[in-house]
Amino acid sequence: MRNQSLANSIFTFFLFFLLQQPSIAAQEGNKPFVAVTYTEFNFEEGDFLGVVNNHKRIKHLKGKHSRSLGFKNVLHIYIMEGLEEAGYEVTDESRQRGNITGLTKPKVVVKAEIDSVYFNFSGKEYLDFAGYVKVFGKWKIFASHDLKKELKTLDFQVSEDRFKGTKEYILSPPIRLAAKQLGNSEEFKALVSKTEENFLAENSGKKIYLKQVDYGENNSLKDHIQRAIKAVYTLEGKEGIGSAVLISENGYLITNYHVIHNEDLIYAVNDKGEKFEASVVKENSHFDLALLKIEADSLQALKISTQTNFEIGESVFAIGTPLFSDLSQTVSSGIVSGIRDLPYMQVIQTDVSISPGNSGGALMDKKGELIGITTFKIAGQSADGIGFCIPSYEFIKALNLEFYK
């Protein structure tokens, strides 16, 4: 159904966000990205549904129609297929519900409600039916963060001939066709685009101004690494450990949202073992990012890179706390392996070693500048050395940061 892509490749592996195990689906190119939830039937007891063999008049009896029409928790799969045929990247909304972050979660959810059906078939059973079917219903469109309040309701009706040997539920072919028609409609395309645009703008929050760090250009790589060790902190909470990067000399740190999720009290520990209570300034769970603040003197922060183009093979360094607090500020080296597209942002792929507590740590280039935040990796099935980082230009936008000199 889909071309083999990063989406399929990532699903093939066991991928984890280091403190949790989310479902990841990378978007193919610039396809719009939506989720589909279970279908609902709005039939009343005794509603006339159709005719079989010119004399058997089928009526709706509670709990009796699903075997031939299609089950509510299965029909949404055919809606997904129809939207995919219309050029959308589609996922099952039920698989997204447990995700802590929305890094790869669609911002629009589609639900079908079937109001009435009429069919006229001949045949012995539904797998042998031939004739035609008409379906009347409505599409309920939601923002993914609020499934109780629809953004829009769009009516639909669709008719389709059914031929002998069609081995699908009665509603499967027409609802697939209706979904394809929905996906091709300009109204739906505009609604998806506008919802995503509003959603991303709202979740970046109020602009925060930070002074850019400047430590000159006459430093050695050794100097840069030693500075990075001082700028990367271990985060401690009741759920475990993670990492964070100091990005301003007045105490602002950036980390992953999943590192501080469900934490009431967070401590940031520096390379000397000094512990500071960290307050949460801003969260953007949809991009798996958070901005923290500590109160301390004589801080050394990393300069934020303004680079937007990375060369394959470029040397990079990851600094973080990989497994245990005793391994705080561990440095590992590698290269940039590629730039990959997720639904709403790009990520840097690297072979640099990333382990469970590295989440929120620094990815630094040889100039000593912070080019990304280490976020997740692929593991399992002999996969190794496939890690992903959120680039600086993406976290600046997602947290609405502005740096001044």
Side-chain angles (χ1 to χ4, degrees):
M1 194 162 13
R2 301 180 193 171
N3 294 330
Q4 185 68 22
S5 64
L6 182 59
N8 288 335
S9 299
I10 289 181
F11 273 128
T12 302
F13 294 99
F14 172 59
L15 184 148
F16 61 99
F17 266 115
L18 309 182
L19 294 182
Q20 59 144 349
Q21 297 174 6
S23 175
I24 296 295
Q27 190 181 23
E28 299 175 15
N30 293 315
K31 288 185 178 181
F33 190 35
V34 298
V36 179
T37 193
Y38 295 162
T39 300
E40 290 292 339
F41 296 126
N42 292 331
F43 305 138
E44 297 292 337
E45 187 78 8
D47 279 356
F48 177 56
L49 299 179
V51 176
V52 177
N53 295 324
N54 295 321
H55 65 275
K56 186 176 182 182
R57 302 175 68 82
I58 308 298
K59 294 185 177 181
H60 168 58
L61 299 175
K62 189 174 181 180
K64 298 292 185 180
H65 62 277
S66 295
R67 178 172 174 78
S68 56
L69 289 181
F71 295 93
K72 295 188 289 185
N73 61 347
V74 173
L75 287 172
H76 72 295
I77 295 172
Y78 300 95
I79 297 172
M80 293 171 63
E81 290 178 356
L83 288 169
E84 285 177 332
E85 289 177 13
Y88 288 74
E89 184 78 10
V90 191
T91 188
D92 187 331
E93 185 273 331
S94 66
R95 295 184 178 180
Q96 300 286 332
R97 294 173 190 171
N99 286 2
I100 292 174
T101 77
L103 191 61
T104 59
K105 187 175 182 179
K107 309 314 176 193
V108 172
V109 177
V110 177
K111 178 180 181 180
E113 292 190 1
I114 309 300
D115 294 326
S116 64
V117 176
Y118 177 76
F119 53 80
N120 193 322
F121 292 143
S122 61
K124 293 181 179 180
E125 60 173 33
Y126 80 95
L127 289 178
D128 189 49
F129 285 159
Y132 68 92
V133 57
K134 294 181 179 180
V135 181
F136 301 84
K138 48 185 170 284
W139 300 110
K140 294 289 186 76
I141 317 298
F142 302 87
S144 60
H145 66 282
D146 187 359
L147 298 181
K148 294 181 179 180
K149 181 181 179 182
E150 64 262 24
L151 299 172
K152 189 86 172 178
T153 299
L154 301 172
D155 294 330
F156 72 87
Q157 64 179 63
V158 63
S159 301
E160 186 158 88
D161 293 327
R162 184 181 178 95
F163 301 97
K164 185 175 180 179
T166 302
K167 301 186 181 301
E168 293 182 301
Y169 295 112
I170 291 172
L171 286 176
S172 299
I175 204 168
R176 183 193 294 118
L177 175 60
K180 183 176 180 179
Q181 292 172 349
L182 173 70
N184 285 326
S185 72
E186 294 302 322
E187 184 175 12
F188 182 66
K189 291 177 183 177
L191 179 61
V192 171
S193 178
K194 187 65 175 177
T195 302
E196 290 178 346
E197 181 182 335
N198 291 343
F199 192 91
L200 301 181
E202 290 170 4
N203 283 277
S204 64
K206 185 179 178 180
K207 187 176 290 294
I208 294 180
Y209 297 89
L210 301 174
K211 187 175 181 180
Q212 177 70 284
V213 178
D214 185 9
Y215 35 83
E217 299 180 357
N218 297 319
N219 297 293
S220 66
L221 178 57
K222 179 181 177 181
D223 293 332
H224 292 318
I225 291 175
Q226 290 178 346
R227 185 181 189 93
I229 288 172
K230 296 181 182 298
V232 175
Y233 286 62
T234 300
L235 296 184
E236 296 180 351
K238 68 178 187 297
E239 300 291 334
I241 65 167
S243 303
V245 187
L246 197 67
I247 59 171
S248 75
E249 293 175 342
N250 59 339
Y252 285 92
L253 301 109
I254 191 168
T255 188
N256 288 131
Y257 171 79
H258 74 263
V259 171
I260 56 99
H261 172 68
N262 277 343
E263 296 289 2
D264 299 318
L265 187 60
I266 306 164
Y267 290 102
V269 184
N270 65 15
D271 64 311
K272 297 178 181 178
E274 298 172 321
K275 185 178 291 190
F276 307 91
E277 185 174 338
S279 59
V280 178
V281 177
K282 181 186 287 191
E283 298 172 347
N284 191 334
S285 65
H286 306 286
F287 288 91
D288 196 26
L289 292 165
L291 188 68
L292 311 180
K293 181 79 161 57
I294 60 173
E295 300 297 334
D297 299 320
S298 303
L299 296 174
Q300 292 193 42
L302 283 185
K303 182 178 180 180
I304 307 296
S305 172
T306 57
Q307 185 176 355
T308 56
N309 296 311
F310 300 95
E311 293 184 6
I312 306 302
E314 181 177 341
S315 295
V316 290
F317 305 86
I319 305 95
T321 305
L323 290 169
F324 312 104
S325 57
D326 291 347
L327 297 176
S328 59
Q329 290 81 32
T330 292
V331 181
S332 56
S333 62
I335 62 170
V336 171
S337 304
I339 304 298
R340 307 300 182 188
D341 288 326
L342 292 183
Y344 304 105
M345 69 160 59
Q346 291 183 321
V347 290
I348 301 169
Q349 180 183 329
T350 177
D351 70 342
V352 73
S353 177
I354 297 177
S355 301
N358 269 118
S359 287
L363 187 71
M364 184 185 76
D365 64 13
K366 60 186 179 182
K367 296 186 295 184
E369 297 184 355
L370 181 67
I371 64 170
I373 298 296
T374 57
T375 301
F376 60 93
K377 69 178 289 185
I378 292 176
Q381 295 195 11
S382 301
D384 194 17
I386 306 177
F388 296 92
C389 307
I390 300 175
S392 56
Y393 59 84
E394 294 284 16
F395 70 66
I396 288 173
K397 181 171 60 176
L399 291 172
N400 201 5
L401 306 178
E402 184 167 322
F403 290 87
Y404 63 92
K405 295 182 179 181

